[in-house]
Amino acid sequence: MKPAAAASPAAYYAVMGATLGRYRSLGPVVAGGWDAYVELGDEPDSLERAVLGGARWLSWGQGPTVPGCLRVTAGTGADIATAATAALAIIEALEHAGILVVPAVENAVGLLLYLQPATPQWGSAAALAERAPEIATVDPAASDGRALLVELDPAAPIPLPYSLVDGPDGITAVMPVTVDEIAAMTAGMPVDPAPEVVLDRLTAEGDLASGLLADAPQEGTTA
């Protein structure tokens, strides 16, 4: 995969379509953008048509195998190191409760934590924030210098791994990362979820979010 493949949303999704097809099998997917919003069908070219129509991001709707998701974003006066520190504490708590956590970066200041199962007895974002109140909160008005936790649901929506997203620095992509990389972020390692970087990482390191696919249907996967 060459970096040039990410020059446009259409080119990016042309390369990433097969990988995204596996995640589309977890539940209904909506493709959206500033002037586009459409639920993808099972037709092989449904993603291509949606993107050509102006869609840029992909999100899950409701479904029994759609993962849960927490967004961990640096508040005012904070940075990715703060968000990463909070994310590590949350991951430890959730994994201790037997929850599969697949972390990803969505922009230079925020992470997504995908959860399987989606509706476990792990409590709420507020309960998780209380585990590290000095660095995490669910109250936007109290997020100065801290990480803001938001529990996503299909109304939020939940971006698919590898989806393009609109961020503060322009279009980025949801980039799965390892816990070791999050630990490095706490020490100030910068993150660059540019589409071309995500394409190159997928080639070099494989699909780091594939643990979410354990509950995917074995038949009828779209591509």
Side-chain angles (χ1 to χ4, degrees), residues 37 57 59-63 66-71 112-113 118-119 122 150-159:
Y37 190 85
W57 48 260
S59 65
W60 277 300
Q62 294 181 326
V66 172
C69 188
L70 288 172
R71 173 172 280 133
L112 297 173
L113 303 180
T119 55
W122 55 266
V150 178
E151 184 177 352
L152 302 184
D153 58 36
I158 301 174

Side-chain angles (χ1 to χ4, degrees), residues 22-186:
R22 295 193 286 274
Y23 294 96
R24 288 172 58 189
S25 71
L26 290 173
V29 171
V30 170
W34 291 116
D35 300 310
Y37 190 85
V38 60
E39 184 169 330
L40 298 184
D42 294 332
E43 301 84 359
D45 65 343
S46 62
L47 174 57
E48 178 183 4
R49 287 188 285 107
V51 172
L52 291 176
R56 289 192 307 282
W57 48 260
L58 304 177
S59 65
W60 277 300
Q62 294 181 326
T65 56
V66 172
C69 188
L70 288 172
R71 173 172 280 133
V72 186
T73 306
T76 304
D79 56 20
I80 191 64
T82 304
T85 301
L88 282 180
I90 293 168
I91 291 170
E92 181 180 4
L94 292 173
E95 290 185 338
H96 182 73
I99 308 304
L100 170 69
V101 183
V102 173
V105 171
E106 64 173 343
N107 53 50
V109 294
L111 300 97
L112 297 173
L113 303 180
Y114 295 103
L115 314 176
Q116 283 284 26
T119 55
Q121 299 298 317
W122 55 266
S124 64
L128 291 170
E130 289 174 359
R131 291 176 173 268
E134 71 284 358
I135 58 170
T137 181
V138 295
D139 182 2
S143 63
D144 287 2
R146 295 196 282 179
L148 178 64
L149 273 58
V150 178
E151 184 177 352
L152 302 184
D153 58 36
I158 301 174
L160 271 66
Y162 305 107
S163 170
L164 295 179
V165 290
D166 293 316
D169 299 318
I171 296 178
T172 57
V174 178
M175 181 173 76
V177 294
T178 66
V179 171
D180 286 345
E181 287 177 306
I182 297 177
M185 293 175 208
T186 68

